[in-house]
Structure formats: structure tokens, C-alpha cells
């Protein structure tokens, strides 16, 4: 195996024996093979699209396939074998459609578009030949993988929107274009860089689409105090990012005596008006994804993982854990997809929850969030006045991911060290490093404004663009906003590319720069966009505050 897609990759260069995330070598290889098969599908899909053939089953397969290979989504060998098989069958049926429509399949099709096999043994053999290291030139490899990781993040957001009935053909078409491009040896490094930046454009589009899907379906997030204590009822803990799954679960648990709590990235669900009507939607339990090994244990009840971020479960709670959608783990019960026009059936989760004890309290109190674009615009006058009067000197976008590395303590320390006249704009699970710190407020505006999940970084960009307009500036970089972003997995990659596309410069990225950036590719990002890493809180603070 060779995998370097996340921030925790071994030695900062690549996991080669087993993933730091717990992914086994065989699963890692099968994920590489699935990506390879999807590249072949993408090549055929581009030709099919030219002939006017757009197959939703194919687009959906690629979207879900990319999502399934995201860090901490799916660890299940059998699931990937099945996906590879399904992918090969879909690819060949698409080829048949092309021929039926009068198209001629090129004689020199890339191997990914022609290779076929059926047995798991053959899959293993092929997988060993088509991984990341099959691209020898390290810069080309770096750019191809950067593009693929952007596409994975894009696919995840597209899937969340799709679950709510929102889709955009141009986003699917770009996924195909991007995947196919990674098989094209004739592309120059400059052309690959251009594709990576184009991915940023579609990153903005997909986050806007998801924002529309979420806010149209569930209302605009509003300032909300979220309880972090517990009640004395049996309960279900829902984690991941899928709001539709949460909705289905809340409906089915109503009146059953079973409470529902959020974990990790599901916390922002509490900010949506639609979910406030459920009395049994009690609060948020615990912290970011990486603390689940302890927090799932003390929760005592049933646990549902709707998307990434799953950590290989401990035996102490494995039999109380359920996965659904793209998530999977061998030996963990899986809730099948919802049938057309129906709610997803969570009865197995609910029935188990009823038999289990109430959660053990690990903290009490409340946290405040819900500062997505609409809510911030509602208090825009107050914010603008505070900036004009000097009460707010600078905003710090500290969005992105949390993770288990000790070096991430930097972010809590940085938040504590920030001058009292600064505001943190956050989104994603990075917030758990400072959303319980009691950082106070500035004239009633909390010093930590949480927009929501990682995709709600889009909201932060919308807020920045609005401020640019209000202050009559021509460049978003003239605003008193600094970017100190933490990343972990591939959703953060598409968020980063989206910010670059929007023209944001001088983003600091940590706790370490991606292992998949070759020195030359890193240089391009540094020279063109001012991307930088982090150092110490003290030194970085001086840079940010212009001292
Ligand atoms: Fe947390 Fe980072 Fe949300 Fe993941 S914000 S680790 O990308 O999907 O979460
Ligand atoms: Fe390693 Fe991250 Fe890949 Fe897991 S996802 S194998 S930790 S690089």
C-alpha cells in the first residue's frame, strides 16, 4: 500500500504498511483499484457526454465511490470488492450505450477503461500495479493526487446535496474530466495546475449547492445555544455530516422515549430551525471525531455513523455501532440506503437503543453556534460598526479539521493568545479546539463565530465577500481577515482549493503541509498564493498581527 492523502500520514510522507487511520493494506489497495476503475468510467463518460448520454447511475456511482475512499469513511474490504465489480459492469454498460448511440470507442483507450477481471485475487494483483506510485514523476504524481483529493471532497459535498434532492450536472462533468485527466500522460504540469485551480471553482459551486440544499430544506442556521450535558433516557448518538439521515432518525425516534444527540461534525445540525422542534433532540455529546474511542464508550447507547469520520471501533462499543451510506467497517451493522420516496429505516438502531442505559455525563453547559452567512448578515450593521470603531481589529478564519496529533494543541493556544479585539470565524471540526474556551464577546458579538460543518466554510467566504462589498474594497485580501486553517482529510482539500479560487491569499495551513505536495508543487502554491505553514504561536501571532 501507499497512501498519503491525509494530514496524519506516516512520517508526513506516506503510510506503507498500515494506515495511521487504521486502514489495512488490502483495503488501501482496493481503494486505489476503485479509483482506477472510476478513471476508466470517467474516460468513457466524457465520450458519452459528448453524445448526449448522461447516466445518473454512473455519476452517482463515481460520486459515492470517491466519497467511500475518503479518510475514515470505509474500512470494509468486501465492500470495495463489490464496488470494483459494480464499477466494471457500469463502465461496460456505458460503453455499450456509446456504441448504441453511434459512437466509436477509441482504439487506444487507456488501460483503466479496458481492463477487466472478476475475482478478488485478480483485483488484488491489479491493485498492486495501479496505486499512487505508478506515476513516476513526483510533480505529476503530486498534482494528480491533489486533483483527486479535491474531487473526493467535492464528491462528498455533492453526495450530501444529492441526498436532499440537489444535483448539478456540471459538477459531475468536472469530476469525470478531472479523473480522466489523471490518466493523460500528455498533460503538462501547467495544465494539471490549471485543472487543480478549476477544481476550486467547482468546489465553490458544490458548497454553494449544498448550502442551498441545507438552507432550503431546513432553514437558515441561527444563533443557538447547544446543550452539552445529558438526560436520563436511552439514546442514539449520530455522527458524520448527513442532515437527511438526522431528519429521518428524528422523525422515527419521536415519541419512542429514545433521545438523540450529535457528535463531531453533526453538532451544527442544532443551528437549523427545522430540527429545533424535536424535544428529544437533546444536545451535543463530546467533541471532534478522533475522541470517539472514549466518547462512544461512555455514551452507552446506540451510535450511528452517517459519513466519515469513523475510527476503527473498540470492542467495548462495536456492537452498538451502525454505519450507513458510504461508511463501512467489517462486522459493524450497516443500515441500507433509503428506498425511493421513503425514509431510511433506522428501526434496528432505535430498537437496540431502547435496551441500553442512558449516556454517562462527561460535561455540562452550553456552546453557542449558528453564525452562517444569513445570521451574520442579520447582525452585519453591528459587525461593520465594530470594525469601523476599532472594537474588532481583525478576524481569524480558523476553520477546518481537528485531529489527534499533539501538534494541534497549537490551535487552542493560538486562540487563547489572540488579542481580545479579534474574532475567530470557524467551521468544521477544528472548532472543538476553542469552542469551549470562554473567549468572551465584543459588544455582544461572541469571539468564536461557528458557521457550521466543514462545507460551511463556504459561508465564511460569503461573509468575507460581503464585507469586501460593504467596505468598498476591490480585493478580498485587503480585509482585516487572516486565515489560519487546520486540515486533516480531503474535504479540507476542496475547501482550500475553493478559497484559492475565490482569490484568498496567504493562507496558513497546518499543523503540517500535505505530504502529497512535492517540493515543486508546494513552491507553486507558496509563490502564487502565499500559502505558508505554521511555526509557533508567538511567531505566527507577530506575522498575523503585522508586528
Ligand atoms: Fe472534520 Fe475535517 Fe468534516 Fe472531516 S472538518 S475532519 O474534513 O469532514 O470533519
Ligand atoms: Fe495513512 Fe491518512 Fe491514508 Fe489513512 S488516510 S492510510 S492515515 S495517509
Amino acid at each position: 500500500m501507499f497512501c498519503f492523502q491525509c494530514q496524519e500520514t506516516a512520517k508526513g510522507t506516506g503510510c506503507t504498511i498500515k494506515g495511521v487511520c487504521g486502514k489495512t493494506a488490502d483495503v488501501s489497495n482496493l481503494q486505489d483499484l476503485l479509483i482506477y476503475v472510476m478513471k476508466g468510467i470517467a474516460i468513457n463518460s466524457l465520450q458519452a457526454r459528448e453524445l448526449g448520454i448522461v447516466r445518473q447511475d454512473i455519476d452517482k456511482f463515481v460520486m459515492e465511490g470517491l466519497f467511500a475512499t475518503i479518510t475514515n469513511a470505509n474500512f470494509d474490504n468486501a465492500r470495495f470488492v463489490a464496488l470494483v465489480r459494480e464499477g466494471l459492469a457500469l463502465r461496460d454498460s456505458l460503453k455499450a450505450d456509446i456504441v448504441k448511440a453511434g459512437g466509436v470507442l477509441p482504439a487506444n483507450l487507456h488501460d483503466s477503461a479496458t481492463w477487466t477481471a472478476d475475482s478478488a485475487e485478480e483485483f488484488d494483483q491489479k491493485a498492486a500495479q495501479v496505486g499512487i506510485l505508478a506515476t513516476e514523476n513526483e510533480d505529476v504524481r503530486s498534482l494528480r493526487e491533489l486533483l483527486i483529493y479535491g474531487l473526493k471532497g467535492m464528491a462528498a459535498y455533492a453526495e450530501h446535496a444529492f441526498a436532499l434532492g440537489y444535483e448539478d450536472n456540471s459538477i459531475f462533468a468536472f469530476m469525470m474530466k478531472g479523473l480522466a485527466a489523471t490518466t493523460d500522460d500528455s498533460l503538462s504540469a501547467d495544465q494539471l495546475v490549471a485543472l487543480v485551480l478549476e477544481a476550486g471553482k467547482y468546489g465553490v459551486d458544490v458548497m454553494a449547492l449544498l448550502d442551498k440544499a441545507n438552507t432550503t430544506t431546513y432553514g437558515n442556521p441561527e444563533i443557538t445555544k447547544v446543550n452539552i450535558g445529558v438526560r436520563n433516557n436511552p439514546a442514539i448518538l449520530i455522527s458524520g455530516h448527513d442532515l437527511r439521515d438526522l431528519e429521518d432518525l428524528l422523525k422515527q425516534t419521536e415519541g419512542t422515549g429514545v433521545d438523540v444527540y450529535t457528535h463531531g461534525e453533526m453538532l451544527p445540525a442544532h443551528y437549523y430551525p427545522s430540527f429545533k422542534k424535536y424535544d428529544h433532540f437533546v444536545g451535543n455529546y463530546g467533541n471532534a471525531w478522533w475522541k470517539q474511542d472514549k466518547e462512544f464508550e461512555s455514551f452507552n447507547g446506540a451510535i450511528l455513523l452517517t459519513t466519515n469520520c469513523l475510527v476503527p471501533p473498540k470492542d467495548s462499543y462495536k456492537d452498538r455501532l451502525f454505519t450507513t451510506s458510504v461508511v463501512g467497517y467489517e462486522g459493524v451493522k450497516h443500515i441500507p440506503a433509503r428506498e425511493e420516496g421513503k425514509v431510511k429505516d433506522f428501526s434496528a438502531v432505535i430498537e437496540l437503543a431502547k435496551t441500553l442505559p442512558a449516556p454517562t455525563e462527561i460535561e455540562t453547559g452550553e456552546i453557542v453556534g449558528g453564525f452562517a452567512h444569513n445570521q451574520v448578515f442579520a447582525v452585519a450593521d453591528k459587525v461593520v460598526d465594530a470594525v469601523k470603531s476599532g472594537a474588532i481589529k481583525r478576524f481569524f478564519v480558523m476553520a477546518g479539521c481537528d485531529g489527534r496529533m499533539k501538534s494541534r494543541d497549537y490551535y487552542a493556544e493560538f486562540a487563547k493568545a489572540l488579542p481580545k479585539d479579534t474574532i475567530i470565524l470557524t467551521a468544521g471540526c477544528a472548532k472543538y479546539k476553542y469552542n469551549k474556551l470562554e473567549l468572551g464577546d465584543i459588544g455582544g458579538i461572541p469571539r468564536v463565530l461557528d458557521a457550521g460543518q466543514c462545507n460551511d466554510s463556504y459561508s465564511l467566504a460569503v461573509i468575507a465577500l460581503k464585507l469586501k462589498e460593504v467596505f468598498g474594497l476591490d480585493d478580498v485580501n485587503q480585509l482585516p481577515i487572516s486565515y489560519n486553517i487546520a486540515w486533516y482529510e480531503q474535504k479540507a482539500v476542496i475547501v482550500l482549493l475553493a478559497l484559492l479560487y475565490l482569490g484568498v491569499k496567504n493562507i496558513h495551513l497546518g499543523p503540517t503541509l500535505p505530504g502529497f505536495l512535492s517540493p515543486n508543487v508546494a513552491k507553486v502554491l507558496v509563490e502564487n498564493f502565499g500559502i505558508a505553514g505554521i511555526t509557533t504561536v508567538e511567531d505566527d501571532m507577530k506575522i498575523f498581527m503585522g508586528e
Side-chain angles (χ1 to χ4, degrees):
M1 75 172 280
F2 182 83
C3 181
F4 60 0
Q5 68 177 355
C6 84
Q7 188 272 326
E8 293 185 355
T9 192
K11 302 192 183 89
T13 53
C15 296
T16 54
I17 299 162
K18 189 183 179 185
V20 173
C21 60
K23 184 162 80 176
T24 57
D26 56 342
V27 168
S28 181
N29 291 341
L30 281 167
Q31 289 184 350
D32 288 346
L33 183 62
L34 177 61
I35 295 280
Y36 191 69
V37 169
M38 292 192 296
K39 289 177 183 182
I41 294 176
I43 292 168
N44 291 125
S45 165
L46 291 181
Q47 188 185 1
R49 283 181 140 82
E50 277 176 24
L51 293 165
I53 306 166
V54 179
R55 279 190 33 195
Q56 200 199 45
D57 59 339
I58 300 265
D59 291 347
K60 188 164 173 276
F61 178 84
V62 169
M63 171 179 76
E64 291 177 354
L66 283 166
F67 193 6
T69 66
I70 271 191
T71 303
N72 292 343
N74 200 312
F75 300 83
D76 187 358
N77 187 305
R79 187 86 175 272
F80 285 104
V81 169
L83 282 171
V84 168
R85 251 186 219 126
E86 190 185 342
L88 290 171
L90 280 171
R91 185 198 68 192
D92 292 344
S93 75
L94 183 59
K95 280 188 190 170
D97 282 356
I98 291 172
V99 174
K100 228 186 282 162
V104 179
L105 295 167
N108 58 347
L109 270 180
H110 187 261
D111 177 68
S112 62
T114 58
W115 169 80
T116 198
D118 190 54
S119 70
E121 293 71 40
E122 288 169 297
F123 290 176
D124 287 344
Q125 268 172 20
K126 187 71 176 177
Q129 298 158 15
V130 298
I132 292 160
L133 299 177
T135 302
E136 279 167 21
N137 180 299
E138 71 163 351
D139 298 327
V140 175
R141 184 195 307 148
S142 175
L143 288 165
R144 284 179 176 176
E145 294 309 316
L146 174 57
L147 178 57
I148 289 175
Y149 303 152
L151 294 176
K152 290 187 183 196
M154 194 185 297
Y157 293 150
E159 201 270 347
H160 301 330
F162 191 87
L164 295 172
Y166 289 74
E167 58 182 291
D168 177 345
N169 177 44
S170 69
I171 293 169
F172 289 130
F174 183 77
M175 276 180 208
M176 302 300 182
K177 178 178 160 183
L179 276 173
T182 64
T183 66
D184 186 349
D185 291 330
S186 74
L187 292 180
S188 67
D190 284 348
Q191 285 170 308
L192 283 169
V193 169
L195 274 165
V196 166
L197 298 180
E198 196 181 350
K201 178 210 174 300
Y202 288 97
V204 174
D205 290 354
V206 77
M207 284 192 274
L209 181 73
L210 179 54
D211 183 79
K212 189 171 157 207
N214 286 340
T215 56
T216 309
T217 315
Y218 302 118
N220 272 298
E222 51 195 28
I223 304 175
T224 307
K225 285 183 180 158
V226 181
N227 165 40
I228 55 174
V230 300
R231 304 202 301 197
N232 196 22
N233 296 326
I236 296 169
L237 189 58
I238 180 168
S239 191
H241 303 69
D242 196 308
L243 299 181
R244 177 84 190 273
D245 282 344
L246 172 66
E247 183 188 9
D248 287 359
L249 181 67
L250 285 172
K251 280 185 181 153
Q252 290 169 61
T253 41
E254 219 172 3
T256 61
V258 174
D259 287 341
V260 175
Y261 296 78
T262 53
H263 188 266
E265 275 276 77
M266 200 57 96
L267 157 66
H270 293 278
Y271 313 154
Y272 288 89
S274 280
F275 298 128
K276 293 188 175 171
K277 62 176 182 250
Y278 297 99
D279 292 336
H280 66 297
F281 190 33
V282 176
N284 188 70
Y285 189 86
N287 295 277
W289 64 272
W290 62 278
K291 290 195 175 166
Q292 67 187 249
D293 60 335
K294 294 206 170 53
E295 293 169 355
F296 285 5
E297 206 165 69
S298 62
F299 184 74
N300 304 329
I303 304 146
L304 174 66
L305 245 299
T306 63
T307 71
N308 65 310
C309 316
L310 174 67
V311 169
K314 292 207 275 196
D315 288 341
S316 57
Y317 58 83
K318 193 173 174 186
D319 58 353
R320 297 189 264 123
L321 183 65
F322 295 81
T323 59
T324 190
S325 305
V326 303
V327 198
Y329 196 91
E330 208 183 325
V332 169
K333 293 176 280 299
H334 189 79
I335 303 294
R338 69 175 61 71
E339 287 171 38
E340 189 73 29
K342 292 195 182 154
V343 293
K344 204 179 263 190
D345 181 3
F346 290 121
S347 54
V349 189
I350 299 165
E351 288 315 308
L352 178 68
K354 285 179 183 167
T355 68
L356 296 167
T360 303
E361 191 153 77
I362 50 174
E363 54 195 343
T364 55
E366 287 172 335
I367 42 181
V368 183
F371 297 93
H373 52 85
N374 194 68
Q375 179 64 81
V376 174
F377 291 174
V379 293
D381 291 353
K382 214 169 161 184
V383 174
V384 170
D385 287 350
V387 174
K388 285 188 178 153
S389 73
I392 296 177
K393 197 164 162 201
R394 183 158 280 277
F395 296 92
F396 281 83
V397 172
M398 292 178 71
C401 314
D402 198 8
R404 56 204 138 196
M405 278 186 167
K406 188 84 188 106
S407 53
R408 287 181 188 263
D409 289 347
Y410 163 95
Y411 294 102
E413 294 310 316
F414 188 89
K416 284 187 220 161
L418 276 172
K420 299 268 176 284
D421 52 7
T422 57
I423 297 259
I424 295 174
L425 300 172
T426 192
C429 58
K431 65 168 120 322
Y432 284 103
K433 282 279 188 278
Y434 24 80
N435 67 350
K436 296 173 183 171
L437 283 181
E438 308 283 346
L439 294 177
D441 63 284
I442 300 176
I445 303 166
R447 287 198 52 230
V448 179
L449 299 183
D450 176 24
Q453 297 181 337
C454 42
N455 51 286
D456 294 308
S457 300
Y458 167 75
S459 234
L460 303 180
V462 171
I463 292 166
L465 293 172
K466 180 76 182 172
L467 288 175
K468 178 186 116 179
E469 188 190 308
V470 172
F471 288 108
L473 304 170
D474 352 293
D475 182 347
V476 78
N477 296 296
Q478 292 167 333
L479 285 165
I481 304 182
S482 300
Y483 294 79
N484 196 2
I485 289 179
W487 82 285
Y488 171 60
E489 40 98 343
Q490 299 78 54
K491 288 178 171 179
V493 175
I494 194 61
V495 171
L496 176 71
L497 296 180
L499 290 175
L500 297 184
Y501 173 75
L502 291 172
V504 176
K505 295 226 159 50
N506 304 322
I507 295 172
H508 287 246
L509 192 64
T512 52
L513 289 179
F516 55 79
L517 294 181
S518 69
N520 285 328
V521 173
K523 200 162 155 246
V524 170
L525 293 179
V526 171
E527 285 174 0
N528 294 299
F529 300 100
I531 297 261
I534 58 167
T535 60
T536 62
V537 170
E538 218 182 10
D539 289 350
D540 288 349
M541 196 63 74
K542 284 185 194 145
I543 296 171
F544 282 120
M545 299 307 288
E547 287 161 20

